[in-house]
Amino acid sequence: MMQTQEDTREFVRGCVRGDAPPCAAACPFGVDVRDFLRKAARGKWASAYKAYRNAVVFPRIVAELCPQPCKNACEIAERPIELLAVENAVLANIKKSGADFYAVPPKAQRVAVYGANYAGLACAVHLGAKQYAVTVIGDFEKLPERHRSEIMTQIGKFPVRIEKEPDGSRYDAEYTAPETRDIISDIVAGKNEAVRIEIFLGTGKYPAEEAASPYENRTAGSPVLTAGQATEEAARCRMCDCSKCFDVCEMLRAFGKEPKRAALEFYTDMHVNPPLSRHSLTREAYSCSGCGACADVCPAGIDLGKMFYAYRKMRAGKNNAPTAFHDIFLRDMEHAGTLGAYVSAGRGRRECGYAFFPGCRLGAMDPRHVTASYEFLDENFSAGIILGCCGAPAYWAGYEESFSSNLEKLRHDWETIGKPVLVLACASCGRMLKNALPEMQTVSLYELLASSPDILPQAGAAGGRKGINQRFPLGKAAIFDPCAAKHETRARAAVRALAARAGIGLSEPEAPGQCCGNGGHFRVANPPLYEQITESRAGESPLPYIVYCSNCKAVFEERGKSATHILDAAFSLDTARTPLIEETRQNRTKAKAEVAAYIDGQKEAPEAPEWDRVRLVLEPRLAESIDRKLIGQDDIREAIFFAERGGACFEGENGVRQCSLAKKALTYWVRYIRLPDGSFEIADAYSHRMRILSGDSK
């Protein structure tokens, strides 16, 4: 995908953003109507006049005779913009008419125009503005006096002279101007011919004549507007342009880059040759959440997220991806696939018909969600379980090899226990598996919970497992659907059914399925955008949120927004606080150990590295601050462990030491004090992408 420039063009071929609106497309001069009206609406008469004059050559003549094809094309059908009236108001309010004259060196070439008519004079003025010496030969006096006055105003200081008869001079280019009864068409023809002559004089090749722009030659009345009325009329313009993808995406609005330009930069970035050139699409491509909102609303179905993913994959394939953007998430995926991994068909079974695949984040956020869900599935469906990761972090980073390797491991585990139906708790896992492993049949955990009479039975109903038939005392809440679930109608309905059974009155979102800010893992690549999006999502309702995505819950609670996972309601669990980075890994191994104990009767002792014995003392606020920097306490322990064993360490005032730990993508720095009891009080920690080279390094 996207290997050549034609590939990138083809990808966005259906995009019309930035193209001429219907009114401008209908105009034979191609007036930039949006630009003209934008300036007129602000009362910038000189700027508006310049935009209009540069397009039509003779503004007063065109304004007098224009048949207003733009009016028929206006999207405001009930009351089209009176564009011609605004044009006349601009002409009435300017203080100085005529074209701008710039003291540029004159051209050596000379041009003869035969015919002092509207086509010939339009050609002459256009070439004269480029400092070509133009001689117009013909009877200028036959034109109306008011038109002659306007033409001479536009000629101004340009090197254009008008003669009745040829003088025998030789010219580098000649043009015989046509004359019809349609003055507007003649001016258009003359202007277009000037462009072709200029190309010929510069290249020696004369381009083919383009077909005239079609428009309806309809004469219509135009009101006379005062300056104030003209600005109001211009302000009514909707600035017609396709903005559907921009309307639904904060990222696209933040960068303001047209899709076609982004596609072009994709191609140019494939051929970057540092230090002579550099990548120009990096920050935007790595700021995409991949939520698919752009594709959902695009009339042409263009999924810019796929283009940005292809860009990340291209950069990773060339070994010049900004690895720091995704390092923390890839390391978490590695943990889920190693120390957090587990597979079993269930107690006493070698194969199973269903297997729970909670993904890497459910147990990391709250191990009880995994254990309670699995016990329910085991009792009701004799389910097995696969603990691991769907590979989303590698996919979002563009690391195709790592993503494929993770999928193969998952496929192997799935085949080992009999190719069961996978029961999913994470919508992102569902989307990944649907696209990458379509042979796997899946079902939402929430559908199975909602279909069970034992889960949150109605008040007074008999039966049900102990501890899960209590009403959940949340009252009213707003539902927040994860972006990956926006097309999963059955899962969405099941979550709402569970909330209703719990006695929660739900408020529906105005725009369901928006990304909470976690998708695509763009947090490191674009912190300001992450802050903007997460703050916006957290503020969409004053009510607490009901969520069914662990990442959404973590994002909102970090913003101080109350969020409850639907599994807390389903199993009557007290909502746990969002864990720190280190605690998520502890939770994941705890969930694995408890599931293994439930199935095998033996509790595994999780493996621990040497530095796990390093005892830290952190003030709670500092611990949260460090965590928001995406620095785990295990990284701090590792840095101190090696520093205390002869690694690089600087001793400062008051016993404060500073050490560093260089990892694959980041260098971590820790400031700490060694306490008498052998523990270490942390003063601060931070990370960056720089490397500290030794003295003899070159």
Side-chain angles (χ1 to χ4, degrees):
M1 177 186 180
M2 311 264 270
Q3 296 299 314
T4 66
Q5 187 170 12
E6 184 55 35
D7 289 339
T8 58
R9 286 175 178 165
E10 183 62 32
F11 186 83
V12 293
R13 190 174 298 281
C15 178
V16 296
R17 181 170 174 82
D19 290 354
C23 54
C27 176
F29 293 99
V31 172
D32 188 340
V33 176
R34 287 186 296 239
D35 180 55
F36 172 75
L37 289 179
R38 194 177 290 116
K39 291 169 178 174
R42 298 198 302 266
K44 303 291 185 181
W45 307 119
S47 296
Y49 174 81
K50 181 178 179 181
Y52 183 53
R53 184 266 162 211
N54 288 345
V56 304
V57 189
F58 304 129
R60 295 188 186 277
I61 297 175
V62 173
E64 174 189 330
L65 303 172
C66 179
Q68 302 187 82
C70 54
K71 194 168 183 179
N72 274 351
C74 182
E75 293 284 303
I76 312 177
E78 66 279 6
R79 187 185 159 204
I81 298 294
E82 293 286 354
L83 183 57
L84 182 57
V86 177
E87 292 167 1
N88 280 307
V90 168
L91 296 175
N93 284 280
I94 55 168
K95 296 179 180 179
K96 179 183 177 183
S97 297
D100 291 331
F101 177 80
Y102 301 100
V104 297
K107 302 288 195 306
Q109 296 102 322
R110 302 176 64 207
V111 179
V113 175
Y114 297 98
N117 51 33
Y118 295 100
L121 291 160
C123 177
V125 169
H126 194 83
L127 289 171
K130 302 296 181 68
Q131 292 300 300
Y132 289 99
V134 183
T135 300
V136 180
I137 302 165
D139 186 4
F140 182 55
E141 297 300 321
K142 69 179 182 180
L143 300 183
E145 192 280 330
R146 66 184 185 283
H147 289 184
R148 297 200 307 272
S149 174
E150 168 68 357
I151 291 167
M152 295 308 297
T153 296
Q154 299 307 326
I155 289 176
K157 297 180 180 180
F158 296 155
V160 175
R161 61 193 182 93
I162 303 173
E163 303 288 348
K164 280 193 175 184
E165 300 292 339
D167 59 4
S169 300
R170 296 180 64 86
Y171 299 96
D172 298 287
E174 297 181 349
Y175 170 49
T176 301
E179 186 168 4
T180 70
R181 293 183 178 181
D182 187 342
I183 295 175
I184 296 293
S185 294
D186 287 351
I187 296 173
V188 172
K191 177 185 174 185
N192 291 342
E193 184 64 24
V195 174
R196 286 190 287 275
I197 291 173
E198 188 177 2
I199 293 173
F200 167 72
L201 293 175
T203 66
K205 297 180 180 179
Y206 196 79
E209 184 174 356
E210 297 181 1
S213 301
Y215 68 96
E216 181 184 357
N217 194 348
R218 175 184 63 82
T219 302
S222 176
V224 177
L225 304 179
T226 65
Q229 291 170 331
T231 58
E232 291 177 4
E233 183 67 11
R236 280 203 309 116
C237 179
R238 296 173 182 171
M239 300 298 162
C240 297
D241 195 0
C242 183
S243 62
K244 293 182 182 295
C245 58
F246 275 58
D247 291 342
V248 298
C249 180
E250 291 99 331
M251 187 276 286
L252 292 176
R253 294 199 298 273
F255 284 90
K257 196 174 293 181
E258 306 295 352
K260 284 177 282 192
R261 179 185 165 193
L264 175 63
E265 291 183 359
F266 182 111
Y267 173 74
T268 57
D269 277 11
M270 284 197 293
H271 304 282
V272 161
N273 184 26
L276 301 178
S277 57
R278 65 176 189 167
H279 297 95
S280 55
L281 195 61
T282 302
R283 194 69 61 176
E284 181 169 6
Y286 283 90
S287 296
C288 174
S289 70
C291 69
C294 55
D296 290 339
V297 299
C298 177
I302 298 171
D303 189 344
L304 295 174
K306 287 184 177 179
M307 181 179 75
F308 292 134
Y309 164 68
Y311 181 90
R312 297 183 189 187
K313 191 165 70 169
M314 177 269 290
R315 292 287 298 274
K318 291 178 177 288
N319 292 318
N320 62 11
T323 54
F325 287 174
H326 290 266
D327 178 67
I328 184 71
F329 310 109
L330 291 169
R331 288 167 58 196
D332 202 53
M333 182 183 107
E334 181 183 8
H335 181 271
T338 52
L339 297 180
Y342 178 81
V343 58
S344 173
R347 283 187 285 197
R349 296 186 292 270
R350 298 184 65 180
E351 293 188 350
C352 52
Y354 288 86
F356 184 34
F357 184 68
C360 63
R361 298 299 289 170
L362 190 72
M365 292 294 107
D366 192 337
R368 300 173 303 167
H369 290 165
V370 171
T371 55
S373 297
Y374 179 64
E375 289 178 25
F376 164 79
L377 293 171
D378 179 47
E379 291 179 10
N380 290 274
F381 300 93
S382 300
I385 189 168
I386 300 175
L387 297 180
C389 179
C390 69
Y395 176 86
W396 285 333
Y399 290 177
E400 190 172 20
E401 184 177 342
S402 178
F403 180 56
S404 297
S405 174
N406 186 84
L407 289 177
E408 285 307 310
K409 180 181 183 303
L410 177 56
R411 188 203 305 274
H412 176 267
D413 291 343
W414 173 68
E415 291 174 345
T416 298
I417 58 177
K419 299 182 179 181
V421 175
L422 291 186
V423 182
L424 306 179
C426 172
S428 291
C429 289
R431 184 160 63 180
M432 287 291 161
L433 298 184
K434 180 179 179 180
N435 293 330
L437 296 173
E439 64 271 27
M440 289 185 176
Q441 186 179 348
T442 63
V443 65
S444 166
L445 168 67
Y446 310 108
E447 291 179 53
L448 300 183
L449 290 172
S451 67
S452 171
D454 292 341
I455 296 296
L456 293 167
Q458 297 297 319
R465 264 184 54 207
K466 181 179 179 182
I468 64 170
N469 61 349
Q470 304 169 17
R471 306 285 285 175
F472 191 72
L474 188 61
K476 297 189 69 174
I479 186 78
F480 189 91
D481 298 295
C483 56
K486 61 184 156 187
H487 300 304
E488 303 298 325
T489 54
R490 289 185 298 181
R492 287 156 53 95
V495 171
R496 285 157 173 77
L498 289 170
R501 284 196 213 168
I504 303 171
L506 285 183
S507 168
E508 290 290 336
E510 291 186 10
Q514 296 187 90
C515 178
C516 67
N518 181 77
H521 289 159
F522 66 89
R523 178 175 184 171
V524 179
N526 200 330
L529 181 65
Y530 175 81
E531 292 296 315
Q532 174 192 339
I533 289 178
T534 55
E535 182 178 8
S536 173
R537 298 295 181 270
E540 287 179 1
S541 172
L543 296 172
Y545 283 159
I546 285 286
V547 301
Y548 48 109
C549 169
S550 295
N551 287 317
C552 291
K553 181 177 184 295
V555 165
F556 294 137
E557 290 193 340
E558 185 181 42
R559 303 295 315 186
K561 178 75 174 182
S562 175
T564 298
H565 201 290
I566 191 64
L567 292 179
D568 288 333
F571 297 112
S572 290
L573 302 173
D574 294 331
T575 297
R577 69 167 178 81
T578 297
L580 301 176
I581 292 173
E582 179 186 40
E583 294 169 333
T584 62
R585 294 167 185 169
Q586 294 171 353
N587 285 346
R588 190 179 288 124
T589 54
K590 180 180 179 182
K592 169 186 172 179
E594 291 183 354
V595 167
Y598 175 83
I599 294 175
D600 303 326
Q602 295 183 353
K603 218 168 190 177
E604 292 185 16
E607 301 176 35
E610 292 180 88
W611 49 85
D612 197 55
R613 296 191 299 272
V614 173
R615 290 182 292 120
L616 304 182
V617 178
L618 279 96
E619 192 268 332
R621 287 189 180 179
L622 178 61
E624 292 179 4
S625 172
I626 291 173
D627 206 68
R628 281 195 294 272
K629 299 174 188 175
L630 301 181
I631 299 174
Q633 292 183 26
D634 50 344
D635 293 318
I636 294 176
R637 286 192 178 90
E638 186 178 358
I640 294 175
F641 177 82
F642 286 110
E644 291 294 309
R645 281 157 181 76
C649 186
F650 306 98
E651 184 105 30
E653 296 179 357
N654 302 319
V656 178
R657 297 185 168 196
Q658 183 161 310
C659 66
S660 66
L661 172 69
K663 290 207 165 185
K664 181 179 179 181
L666 293 168
T667 298
Y668 295 90
W669 289 86
V670 182
R671 296 178 63 244
Y672 66 94
I673 299 173
R674 184 167 51 190
L675 300 178
D677 64 358
S679 62
F680 300 89
E681 181 179 352
I682 306 304
D684 198 7
Y686 61 95
S687 65
H688 55 62
R689 288 187 278 171
M690 291 186 292
R691 294 290 188 187
I692 307 300
L693 301 178
S694 59
D696 57 353
S697 297
K698 294 183 180 179

